[in-house]
Amino acid sequence: MSSVRGGRFVKTRGCPSSLELVLLQSDAISTERSAEIISHLPSCEFCFAEVHFLSRHQLPLIPYEPAEMPEHLRKLAQALLARQELGFEGIR
């Protein structure tokens, strides 16, 4: 069991995402993908440790919905982005 390459404990491109590892504890992921992830775990020390860590994470019962950005903050952000696009980010 080792994802340690050159002495590094890393997640690779072939590893499942953290979201998939969280969803592994629910029915929100297909049986086929779940089987693929489970077969990956014995050969990847990083993902095995991440699943152990994430198993303590509780999925929220109510889906998260971001708050609406206040109008004045949206206008400020748009103005700052427009200013940056024009090359005025250094001018105050």
Side-chain angles (χ1 to χ4, degrees):
M1 172 165 158
S2 183
S3 66
V4 181
R5 292 186 179 160
R8 294 178 54 209
F9 181 69
V10 297
K11 187 166 192 142
T12 66
R13 287 186 180 180
C15 292
S17 69
S18 296
L19 176 60
E20 287 181 306
L21 295 177
V22 168
L23 295 177
L24 192 60
Q25 55 184 313
S26 70
D27 291 333
I29 195 166
S30 73
T31 305
E32 182 179 288
R33 184 61 181 146
S34 179
E36 290 172 2
I37 294 169
I38 290 169
S39 69
H40 170 79
L41 295 177
S43 63
C44 184
E45 191 175 353
F46 188 96
C47 288
F48 185 83
E50 190 174 10
V51 164
H52 178 74
F53 174 77
L54 293 172
S55 68
R56 286 152 172 58
H57 175 75
Q58 296 294 318
L59 292 174
L61 298 176
I62 302 170
Y64 171 77
E65 292 186 31
E68 190 70 31
M69 180 182 282
E71 181 70 21
H72 69 283
L73 289 180
R74 187 165 26 86
K75 285 181 179 180
L76 174 62
Q78 288 171 338
L80 291 172
L81 289 172
R83 183 177 172 180
Q84 187 177 27
E85 287 175 4
L86 294 174
F88 296 121
E89 64 272 359
I91 300 173
R92 299 194 193 277

